[in-house]
Amino acid sequence: MEQEPIIIADKLVKTYKSRTLSVAALRGVDLAVNRGEMVAVMGPSGSGKTTLLNCMSGLDIIDSGSVTIAGQALADLPDDALSEYRARSMGFIFQLYNLLPVLSALENVEMPLLVSGEKPAHARKLALDKLAEVGMADWADHKPSELSGGQQQRVTIARALVNTPSIVWADEPTGNLDSENANDVMDLLCRLNQVNNQTFVIVTHTQEVGDRAERIIHMRDGMIENDTDDGAG
Amino acid sequence: MENLFGVPMGGLTIGMTVTLLLFLAILAIFASRNRVLLKLGIRNIPRRRAQTVLIIIGLMLSTAIIASALALGDTVSSSIRNSALDSLGATDITIEPPQFGERVGEYLTPEQTHSVLDLVDDDPRVDGAMPQVRTELPILNPANQRASVGSSVVGVDTARMAGFDQFRTDRGEVFPISSLGRMDLLLNEDMADELKANAGDELTVVTPTGRQQFTVAAVVESKGLAGVRGNPSSRAVGVMHLSTLQEALDIQDSVNRIEISIQGGLRPSDDLSDQVAGDLQLDFINSEVADQLFMTFSDPEVLGLIEDYVAENETSLQADLRANLQDLIDQLKTGDAAARDFRSQITDSRVVATVALVLGNAGRSDLTLGATLLLAQLEVLNVSEVKTNLLEIANTVGSLFTTIFGIFGSFSIMVGLLLIFLVFVMLAASRTTEMGIARAIGTKRRHLVQSFVFEGAVYAFASSIAGVGLGLLASLALIQILARIVPDDVNFSISYGLQPRSVLLSFAAGMVITLITVSISAYRVSRLNIAVAIRGLPEEFVPNPTLTLKNRLIQLLLALIAPFYQFYLLVAKSNTRALYVGLLQLIPLVWGIVIVIAVIRLLSPYVRWGWTVSAVGVLITIFGVNQLSEAIFSTGASVIVIGLGMLISFILHKTALRDEVVSRISYSIMGALLLVFWLLPSNALDSLTGELNGNIEMFVLSGVFVTAAAVWVVMYNSEIVLWPINKSLGSIGGLRPVLKAALAYPMESRFRTGLTVAMFALIVFTLMVFAVINRAFSNTTVDNTDRITGGYDIVAGISGDLPIDDIDEAIAEAPNLDPGDFLVVGGSTGLPSEARQLGPYLGEEISELGFQPVNVSIFQVSILTTNLWELSHFDPEYGNTDAEIWAALANDPDLVVAGAGVLPSDDPFGGDFGQQFTVQGIEASDPQSIKAFDVELSSPFGAQEPVTKKVIGIADPLRFQESSLIGNTDLIADLVPRDPPLTTYRFRLAPGVDPDAVSAALETAFLDNNFDAILTADQINDQVSANQAFNLLFQGYMGLGLLVGVASLGVVSFRAVVERRQAIGMLRAIGFRASMIRTSFLVESSIIALIGIGLGLALGAVVSWNLLNDINENFEGIRFSVPWLTVAIIVAVAWIFSLVTTYFPAMQASRIYPAEALRYE
């Protein structure tokens, strides 16, 4: 069966400019990611991995080129529609977890549901289920500062997946974790990918993480150097 | 303005400036010793310019509030002062016959006038003397039918202008006085304006000898001899030849005053004025009376009593009074009655009062009475330092104003200090990582403190300058409002005045309080946990290590000898730093602080337990009860409660409860108990403590305590407070996530949010209390018009020189008046006199034996039997209702009702305008039924014995605020040579009669009597308008405080945007729209502002309700009502401004692109 691309990036160009410096982060990147695929984007520091993720997910603007997700060109969406799209169809996992420190684990997880307009009671139930799924049900009422790094990342994963997004973007999801916790998190991500058939785009510089993906894209100097499917898949 | 809170301004300014210089010197020493820290501190300033500007704005507001309060005081002071100097011109001293009633019309005899002039003409200290007649006569302008009533006419001796300012025309040219014709009249600008008259116009002056035609020679400035004296109803003055006026009044060569100008220009020295007036007074005392006084006082028994008194009270007597008494004793032993020293002492009121006290204490009230009678006859002519006295009043009123604004402003200043603290907390928060790293690489805590204080000092300097500027600008606006409050008929107008001293004081005070706050917050910052700070986690402080008891005792011992220990270190260990520290510690204040810190450290391990704090509270409470001080008692009780809260916290910490729960329980209990205590009615604990004396400081204290307590309770129970908001707004789908984020942040940063809530609450609290009380007084005026007006529709004043013989007859004869229009017509007049209470009253002896000034008001029977004025107290033996008591006065000239001013007052805002007659044994809060008591009313002429009158009631303070005695027209028949003319008339009109028309008709009919009528309804309206204008002025002033609260929200919001950048990025990533981020920030600040506003309104309402209940005890009829419109305005203004301030940071936050926000660290 021919794979259907859910994410299509076409000639993406992104340059960061400051008063004295201009850095080309992406220099005409073409990429297509299929639905249900788990893709790892790897490369040395400054190669443009995170920028590629930000631009493809609509978190950042591009100088030229286009990003199409599930047939919808992101450039055509105004900011509010794009936000709504992220709320309903995307999930994000960050290296620094980026949980709201003032909310409990449960409240953090239910936030995307509330943004999508879910009823509070239903949102709470779904969030609790998702926390249970990542093994954090017992920590639901704890604030992020009361959790370890691995626990925080599990809550982040729960938050990213709670609204069953079609795409999950993960930027160095294990970057702040020790190897044991990193393995646990990757096991979890792989399991969820297989169970839910969700598309995962994972930025990482760790080979062990890359090896768990179906496909590895190597970047260097803002361009794709190598695109292989020699990962786990 | 010379005093602030009773402290001389000069001393205060010097003290504050010296403190500032000391502070700066200490900083300079530290800076010179460690320049790196100075550089580290200061380099932060230009790095973030926007932040620097924001900090300076936040810091400058306290200084602005101080500066504006001082500028207001200065302006009021200088306005009165300038008006006094303007209208008096060169006149410094006046000589008049002793007055018993301004309308009695006493004159100096030609002989007296000559002897005065002979004396002063030879005195080199005197520039000139002007004998004159000053009276009130109506003047008409036949050309346009305008009349000037209540205006002054002055007859001047044109040959004696030397030493006095020449008359200047309104174009500034000198009017040659020699050209003033016999029937010429100079009009001052006010009169020319009133009559719309110009030079050359013919005017008619109504005199007792008939109407006379005068020609206006010129219109001159309303200054000097053409200025008003005292506080007449009109500022209009006409000037003519002395002889012309004497002829018109039929008084031959008599004058009623001589004005004297002494050397030194417009503002001669007080000493010279004292000397000249003192010398002149000695020349005009009755020698026979002086002889008799000498005989009375030199009696060995009396002399012995005075000597004993001086010896026994050597330490407690003021030095100058002791010296004067000693001089009197010496004179009585060796001098004679003619000696000037003796005469000088017996004309000194304090010496005389002390002698009377001595005689009274010795049980020789017979001698006291004799001496009092003699003293009343001592002065043949009354010499008054009119300019010095007026300038003193100017200073008193100015100081009073600053005190009022200072007290209410203290809330804003406190809020300003909280803002400074908050700004530095934020500043520290933004640098925690940087500071943590600095600490990690070996920077000591004191280095951090120093570097922070250096930076803060620069901000403090810049903000104090900016604050003074803003404060002066604000005061300019406030003075515009103030100018509207000053009634038109008051003898001064508001003009901006500011003393350089006030500018210096506000700058120094602003900078000192900023530096102190900066130092405290720097110390707090230095205690941050290093590891936590580096990771940028929420603040966590390192507790001070607890030393052993032995070490703490050694530390205290070293603190007691602190500077000497440092010198020991210098000598024994060659520690050069010890030299600086030792020198610094030689300053008593610094040494004291070192000792206090050592004592706190000694006790600190026990302080945590709480019971020690409560024990200290108990001691303070007992001390407060002993001192009868409500403020000390209440503070002590609050300390007990705080200790109790700490004890609960200490105990709960031993349990398994989480820290958060422990804090919540203990702070909630502490806050709730404090709230209950401070919101109790002020007399609720009287049965336990007895009656304590509370003053205005109680208002400030209660404001601070109830706000702090309420904020504690709210912040630790925020979810309960926010539950309704969550429940209502949270049900709106789109708002749900916004609300979640908006509520979570402020409730997480309790300290920050609590500070901001407290700022809003304090300011709104003050505004609310003031608005409720102001409204209550306005309502009382409007609701009780009959209590104020007596039920009369028109009240009119006439000239004492142009009396109406029989008003009823005159009305009947007047062609334009219909007697049927009038239900009641009655006259009255007021006369200054002196009185004393005769004791004992209800078994208590009366301690005040001397006579004190009192105003005597006599009313015709028609007024006494028809008025609707009320009484606060009366003796039921003389009647069962207010009306029956008033009617009792009509039938018996020996009965009087006293004005409410005779009751002792603890009015904190009452200026010291001299001692008035007060009674003992009755207080305003006593029940209505009292026992009648006797007073003795004296005649200053001394020709008659004092007469005894019985006080059977105390009049309503709403109408009769002054110290007065009210009776029928025969009340003083035995004291005055002839019946005083009635100068005020009241009219009650028949139903349906138009008061405006009748008022105009009365003025026309009685024009020749200088009849000046006003509708009582207009008086009420004027009073209400003045109340409203004062409220507006106050709200404007407190608006500065509100600005502080709003600024704090701005600071918090700007900081929040920076702190939450990553969170904003994450929220955007999970689908928050830009508008949701914006709304979240606006909801957050709205909640903080509205909680603060709500607390302020609620607490203000309860406290003002208590206050009004207290006032109602003395002042029946005051009722509580919420000024809804004002409340709505306060809420709207405070909320809108907080939204405006937060809008910009909110916009900034919503514009951040998610990826950019996520990148930020």
Side-chain angles (χ1 to χ4, degrees):
Chain A
M1 190 178 69
E2 194 175 326
Q3 297 282 344
E4 176 198 356
I6 185 169
I7 306 164
I8 301 168
D10 185 25
K11 297 183 182 59
L12 293 189
V13 174
K14 172 78 182 173
T15 307
Y16 293 113
K17 288 177 186 140
S18 70
R19 251 179 275 172
T20 52
L21 208 61
S22 177
V23 178
L26 297 179
R27 296 195 285 188
V29 174
D30 293 317
L31 178 66
V33 178
N34 294 330
R35 190 179 294 277
E37 207 174 11
M38 185 179 245
V39 179
V41 182
M42 299 188 68
S45 287
S47 58
K49 309 182 293 284
T50 299
T51 306
L52 178 64
L53 181 141
N54 286 343
C55 290
M56 288 198 300
S57 63
L59 290 181
D60 211 346
I61 41 173
I62 47 178
D63 298 334
S64 66
S66 69
V67 176
T68 308
I69 293 185
Q72 172 68 55
L74 293 191
D76 295 343
L77 291 175
D79 189 70
D80 280 359
L82 190 58
S83 299
E84 203 160 312
Y85 188 79
R86 282 197 298 266
R88 292 182 190 284
S89 310
M90 292 183 187
F92 289 87
I93 302 167
F94 302 104
Q95 178 181 3
L96 294 173
Y97 327 129
N98 288 91
L99 294 168
L100 287 185
V102 292
L103 299 183
S104 67
L106 178 63
E107 287 171 322
N108 265 291
V109 175
E110 70 181 0
M111 190 58 102
L113 296 169
L114 295 177
V115 176
S116 314
E118 202 68 62
K119 290 269 184 273
H122 191 228
R124 183 137 294 204
K125 185 183 172 303
L126 290 178
L128 272 171
D129 289 349
K130 200 51 78 178
L131 277 173
E133 206 176 328
V134 299
M136 289 295 294
D138 293 341
W139 301 86
D141 293 330
H142 287 253
K143 291 202 171 144
S145 57
E146 297 161 348
L147 303 175
S148 71
Q151 287 173 320
Q152 286 190 56
Q153 196 59 302
R154 282 167 183 271
V155 177
T156 313
I157 292 167
R159 185 182 65 190
L161 301 173
V162 73
N163 53 356
T164 52
S166 43
I167 308 167
V168 178
W169 308 92
D171 188 1
E172 302 280 9
T174 60
N176 261 18
L177 301 176
D178 57 48
S179 56
E180 192 181 335
N181 268 313
N183 267 329
D184 285 351
V185 165
M186 281 316 295
D187 287 345
L188 184 63
L189 291 182
C190 292
R191 182 164 54 83
L192 293 169
N193 168 248
Q194 279 156 18
V195 173
N196 301 331
N197 195 34
Q198 287 162 312
T199 308
F200 276 71
V201 178
I202 303 171
V203 166
T204 180
H205 63 269
T206 315
Q207 191 57 48
E208 289 79 4
V209 174
D211 291 344
R212 307 287 292 269
E214 298 164 0
R215 175 178 165 199
I216 300 176
I217 292 162
H218 282 277
M219 290 196 68
R220 183 176 291 276
D221 298 333
M223 290 194 293
I224 293 177
E225 186 183 53
N226 199 359
D227 186 348
T228 59
D229 54 358
D230 55 355
Chain B
M1 194 177 63
E2 297 302 320
N3 288 296
L4 180 61
F5 297 116
V7 183
M9 280 283 286
L12 204 60
T13 311
I14 292 170
M16 201 51 86
T17 312
V18 168
T19 310
L20 175 61
L21 291 175
L22 207 62
F23 222 123
L24 294 178
I26 295 170
L27 284 181
I29 292 172
F30 282 123
S32 66
R33 287 176 50 80
N34 204 336
R35 289 190 187 174
V36 178
L37 291 177
L38 178 68
K39 279 184 192 161
L40 272 177
I42 291 181
R43 75 176 175 157
N44 283 314
I45 297 166
R47 261 172 55 190
R48 295 201 178 98
R49 293 213 175 118
Q51 181 179 287
T52 300
V53 170
L54 200 66
I55 290 172
I56 289 172
I57 290 174
L59 263 53
M60 74 182 184
L61 292 167
S62 289
T63 313
I65 290 159
I66 297 172
S68 59
L70 290 176
L72 275 174
D74 276 354
T75 296
V76 172
S77 218
S78 76
S79 298
I80 303 176
R81 188 190 178 88
N82 290 342
S83 302
L85 289 176
D86 258 7
S87 64
L88 282 175
T91 301
D92 301 303
I93 293 168
T94 59
I95 299 178
E96 292 167 291
Q99 298 268 312
F100 186 63
E102 52 192 313
R103 304 295 179 216
V104 179
E106 288 300 321
Y107 290 90
L108 284 91
T109 61
E111 293 73 34
Q112 284 176 326
T113 308
H114 286 138
S115 60
V116 171
L117 296 178
D118 286 348
L119 268 173
V120 295
D121 285 349
D122 293 339
D123 192 332
R125 298 170 300 179
V126 173
D127 281 338
M130 172 62 75
Q132 60 188 274
V133 173
R134 221 168 238 274
T135 188
E136 286 180 21
L137 296 174
I139 302 181
L140 321 175
N141 186 350
N144 56 17
Q145 295 299 306
R146 283 176 180 271
S148 172
V149 288
S151 47
S152 304
V153 175
V154 191
V156 295
D157 185 345
T158 52
R160 299 190 64 94
M161 286 299 289
F164 290 87
D165 298 329
Q166 303 194 65
F167 296 102
R168 284 183 181 274
T169 67
D170 44 2
R171 290 190 297 276
E173 297 157 0
V174 172
F175 175 80
I177 195 70
S178 56
S179 66
L180 186 73
R182 206 182 143 272
M183 296 309 282
D184 278 353
L185 191 60
L186 292 175
L187 301 187
N188 76 356
E189 288 162 324
D190 293 278
M191 184 175 277
D193 188 49
E194 215 172 308
L195 293 172
K196 299 284 174 242
N198 297 307
D201 289 355
E202 294 285 321
L203 300 179
T204 305
V205 178
V206 182
T207 74
T209 52
R211 295 187 173 208
Q212 298 186 14
Q213 303 306 311
F214 283 82
T215 306
V216 178
V219 174
V220 296
E221 291 177 346
S222 305
K223 289 179 175 179
L225 293 168
V228 286
R229 300 289 184 264
N231 201 7
S233 57
S234 165
R235 297 168 75 167
V237 177
V239 181
M240 61 176 74
H241 269 291
L242 176 61
S243 55
T244 310
L245 187 56
Q246 285 170 328
E247 213 170 285
L249 296 173
D250 192 21
I251 53 169
Q252 285 87 34
D253 295 332
S254 300
V255 297
N256 59 7
R257 62 198 282 135
I258 299 172
E259 296 194 351
I260 290 172
S261 164
I262 60 174
Q263 286 192 333
L266 206 56
R267 182 71 191 96
S269 77
D270 287 349
D271 284 347
L272 185 64
S273 171
D274 263 357
Q275 282 172 20
V276 177
D279 290 350
L280 278 169
Q281 187 64 75
L282 293 184
D283 286 315
F284 295 99
I285 62 176
N286 186 324
S287 298
E288 282 175 28
V289 173
D291 284 345
Q292 288 178 46
L293 276 171
F294 190 85
M295 278 172 61
T296 308
F297 290 168
S298 57
D299 177 275
E301 186 197 344
V302 175
L303 189 55
L305 288 171
I306 302 173
E307 279 185 306
D308 289 348
Y309 179 82
V310 174
E312 284 165 18
N313 298 283
E314 194 163 351
T315 49
S316 58
L317 280 173
Q318 286 177 353
D320 56 338
L321 177 60
R322 194 176 61 230
N324 288 353
L325 285 168
Q326 193 55 54
D327 192 26
L328 176 68
I329 293 167
D330 294 345
Q331 291 299 321
L332 291 170
K333 282 180 176 172
T334 58
D336 61 64
R340 289 184 78 84
D341 277 357
F342 171 71
R343 293 183 170 201
S344 164
Q345 298 309 341
I346 56 171
T347 50
D348 182 326
S349 60
R350 287 194 308 160
V351 171
V352 170
T354 311
V355 173
L357 177 75
V358 169
L359 297 176
N361 288 347
R364 297 300 304 269
S365 51
D366 54 326
L367 286 177
T368 314
L369 179 60
T372 310
L373 284 175
L374 287 171
L375 285 165
Q377 303 166 53
L378 187 64
E379 293 179 2
V380 178
L381 291 177
N382 187 305
V383 181
S384 168
E385 293 177 67
V386 59
K387 189 175 277 173
T388 308
N389 293 345
L390 263 176
L391 295 181
E392 270 174 22
I393 289 175
N395 282 329
T396 308
V397 176
S399 300
L400 186 64
F401 235 79
T402 310
T403 303
I404 294 174
F405 278 83
I407 285 168
F408 286 102
S410 62
F411 283 90
S412 302
I413 293 170
M414 274 187 273
V415 172
L417 295 186
L418 288 182
L419 176 60
I420 297 173
F421 195 65
L422 184 71
V423 164
F424 275 85
V425 166
M426 299 285 182
L427 196 62
S430 69
R431 305 232 185 104
T432 45
T433 310
E434 188 178 321
M435 287 190 300
I437 293 167
R439 290 276 285 130
I441 59 169
T443 310
K444 290 179 180 157
R445 265 190 205 165
R446 68 161 188 275
H447 293 146
L448 276 189
V449 175
Q450 283 177 31
S451 129
F452 229 84
V453 173
F454 289 143
E455 183 181 351
V458 176
Y459 294 134
F461 181 76
S463 63
S464 300
I465 289 179
V468 170
L470 176 73
L472 299 186
L473 275 177
S475 64
L476 273 174
L478 292 171
I479 280 154
Q480 297 303 315
I481 305 175
L482 183 64
R484 285 171 43 194
I485 298 175
V486 177
D488 296 337
D489 55 356
V490 169
N491 184 22
F492 74 95
S493 55
I494 293 289
S495 56
Y496 195 66
L498 177 71
Q499 292 188 30
R501 187 171 60 187
S502 299
V503 177
L504 178 61
L505 176 60
S506 33
F507 171 77
M511 192 153 171
V512 165
I513 57 174
T514 308
L515 280 172
I516 290 173
T517 319
V518 165
S519 305
I520 294 170
S521 39
Y523 173 73
R524 181 178 179 273
V525 168
S526 73
R527 289 177 50 238
L528 273 178
N529 178 319
I530 301 175
V532 168
I534 292 176
R535 291 169 64 197
L537 294 176
E539 288 174 341
E540 186 181 311
F541 295 97
V542 181
N544 280 327
T546 308
L547 300 173
T548 60
L549 177 64
K550 185 180 152 198
N551 284 338
R552 296 200 307 273
L553 281 170
I554 291 172
Q555 276 200 344
L556 177 62
L557 194 67
L558 293 178
L560 290 171
I561 54 163
F564 305 105
Y565 177 63
Q566 295 296 333
F567 297 141
Y568 160 76
L569 289 179
L570 173 71
V571 177
K573 305 197 172 174
S574 304
N575 182 345
T576 46
R577 181 173 158 266
L579 175 65
Y580 296 105
V581 179
L583 286 173
L584 192 64
Q585 289 178 346
L586 272 178
I587 300 166
L589 179 70
V590 179
W591 195 352
I593 292 172
V594 171
I595 295 172
V596 170
I597 291 173
V599 171
I600 292 172
R601 280 208 176 136
L602 177 69
L603 298 175
S604 62
Y606 317 114
V607 168
R608 273 205 307 276
W609 300 355
W611 66 265
T612 43
V613 176
S614 290
V616 172
V618 170
L619 291 178
I620 299 173
T621 310
I622 294 170
F623 181 66
V625 173
N626 281 337
Q627 296 293 309
L628 298 179
S629 162
E630 197 177 350
I632 300 176
F633 165 76
S634 304
T635 307
S638 306
V639 173
I640 296 176
V641 173
I642 291 169
L644 189 68
M646 292 168 77
L647 183 63
I648 294 171
S649 167
F650 184 75
I651 294 169
L652 292 181
H653 268 299
K654 305 276 179 201
T655 67
L657 287 172
R658 278 164 48 192
D659 282 1
E660 200 181 318
V661 180
V662 171
S663 300
R664 180 174 181 173
I665 295 173
S666 42
Y667 276 103
S668 299
I669 293 176
M670 195 197 294
L673 286 177
L674 280 176
L675 262 184
V676 169
F677 174 77
W678 281 95
L679 293 180
L680 283 175
S682 67
N683 54 4
L685 300 175
D686 281 3
S687 56
L688 285 175
T689 61
E691 199 173 326
L692 301 176
N693 302 322
N695 222 320
I696 191 66
E697 76 279 356
M698 281 304 294
F699 173 61
V700 179
L701 271 181
S702 70
V704 171
F705 272 106
V706 292
T707 309
V711 170
W712 269 332
V713 174
V714 167
M715 291 315 298
Y716 282 95
N717 296 280
S718 47
E719 60 271 44
I720 300 172
V721 178
L722 297 175
W723 183 83
I725 301 174
N726 242 330
K727 210 66 192 161
S728 51
L729 294 179
S731 60
I732 303 168
L735 269 181
R736 210 171 289 134
V738 171
L739 210 56
K740 207 164 205 48
L743 297 184
Y745 275 104
M747 294 314 140
E748 185 70 12
S749 317
R750 284 214 175 89
F751 181 69
R752 221 186 261 189
T753 310
L755 273 183
T756 317
V757 168
M759 288 181 204
F760 272 90
L762 261 178
I763 296 297
V764 173
F765 167 84
T766 327
L767 282 170
M768 181 68 177
V769 170
F770 197 84
V772 170
I773 291 180
N774 194 283
R775 181 185 170 88
F777 276 95
S778 288
N779 278 348
T780 312
T781 309
V782 174
D783 295 349
N784 299 278
T785 50
D786 284 347
R787 267 173 76 181
I788 298 166
T789 64
Y792 302 104
D793 302 298
I794 298 169
V795 59
I798 64 163
S799 166
D801 287 321
L802 303 164
I804 300 169
D805 290 337
D806 183 335
I807 184 100
D808 293 319
E809 202 178 304
I811 288 174
E813 285 172 6
N816 63 339
L817 293 173
D818 175 4
D821 286 348
F822 301 93
L823 292 181
V824 181
V825 177
S828 64
T829 196
L831 314 155
S833 181
E834 290 187 323
R836 64 176 189 153
Q837 186 179 1
L838 296 177
Y841 182 69
L842 300 178
E844 291 280 324
E845 284 300 332
I846 304 299
S847 60
E848 177 57 63
L849 298 163
F851 282 90
Q852 291 169 316
V854 71
N855 196 48
V856 171
S857 295
I858 54 173
F859 286 88
Q860 284 187 315
V861 169
S862 57
I863 298 283
L864 291 173
T865 52
T866 60
N867 75 71
L868 302 174
W869 290 316
E870 294 184 3
L871 300 171
S872 62
H873 305 77
F874 62 83
D875 186 343
E877 202 179 304
Y878 295 86
N880 294 318
T881 62
D882 296 346
E884 284 178 21
I885 296 289
W886 286 116
L889 302 189
N891 303 325
D892 187 346
D894 289 332
L895 300 182
V896 290
V897 159
V902 303
L903 299 181
S905 161
D906 53 2
D907 177 4
F909 296 127
D912 182 12
F913 295 105
Q915 186 67 44
Q916 292 283 306
F917 169 66
T918 48
V919 301
Q920 292 170 36
I922 304 174
E923 287 185 12
S925 54
D926 285 350
Q928 191 183 39
S929 172
I930 56 161
K931 190 94 190 91
F933 57 92
D934 289 337
V935 292
E936 227 173 25
L937 200 55
S938 85
S939 156
F941 292 123
Q944 284 83 19
E945 290 281 314
V947 291
T948 302
K949 304 287 173 186
K950 192 171 281 298
V951 179
I952 62 169
I954 311 288
D956 180 9
L958 193 59
R959 164 62 182 86
F960 297 93
Q961 300 95 339
E962 71 283 8
S963 172
S964 59
L965 294 172
I966 304 154
N968 73 24
T969 44
D970 293 330
L971 180 70
I972 49 167
D974 297 335
L975 289 179
V976 291
R978 54 193 160 94
D979 285 346
L982 300 177
T983 53
T984 305
Y985 284 94
R986 288 181 170 76
F987 304 86
R988 186 177 298 161
L989 303 181
V993 176
D994 175 14
D996 270 321
V998 173
S999 167
L1002 280 167
E1003 283 193 345
T1004 310
F1006 297 113
L1007 184 62
D1008 287 6
N1009 306 92
N1010 212 10
F1011 194 98
D1012 192 5
I1014 181 165
L1015 302 188
T1016 52
D1018 289 347
Q1019 282 180 318
I1020 298 280
N1021 289 341
D1022 287 350
Q1023 202 171 328
V1024 172
S1025 305
N1027 272 355
Q1028 284 166 348
F1030 194 68
N1031 195 23
L1032 186 67
L1033 172 69
F1034 181 75
Q1035 282 171 350
Y1037 177 68
M1038 290 307 288
L1040 281 175
L1042 205 55
L1043 204 62
V1044 181
V1046 170
S1048 68
L1049 262 186
V1051 171
V1052 170
S1053 306
F1054 270 107
R1055 177 68 204 144
V1057 173
V1058 177
E1059 274 178 0
R1060 294 185 211 158
R1061 230 170 144 87
Q1062 283 209 339
I1064 292 167
M1066 188 281 295
L1067 287 171
R1068 295 282 280 130
I1070 64 168
F1072 260 62
R1073 293 187 295 275
S1075 60
M1076 290 167 82
I1077 298 285
R1078 199 164 52 236
T1079 313
S1080 164
F1081 270 89
L1082 292 175
V1083 168
E1084 183 178 333
S1085 64
S1086 293
I1087 284 168
I1088 296 175
L1090 289 174
I1091 290 178
I1093 294 166
L1095 277 183
L1097 289 176
L1099 297 173
V1102 180
V1103 167
S1104 48
W1105 189 75
N1106 278 340
L1107 274 173
L1108 287 178
N1109 276 341
D1110 276 357
I1111 295 172
N1112 208 15
E1113 283 184 10
N1114 308 343
F1115 207 98
E1116 208 183 314
I1118 288 269
R1119 65 184 168 81
F1120 173 86
S1121 80
V1122 177
W1124 290 112
L1125 180 66
T1126 314
V1127 168
I1129 292 172
I1130 292 172
V1131 174
V1133 170
W1135 190 21
I1136 289 170
F1137 272 101
S1138 26
L1139 285 179
V1140 169
T1141 329
T1142 323
Y1143 185 75
F1144 297 102
M1147 282 299 288
Q1148 195 188 343
S1150 67
R1151 282 186 187 143
I1152 304 170
Y1153 221 76
E1156 190 189 324
L1158 285 164
R1159 262 198 306 275
Y1160 183 83
E1161 276 184 50

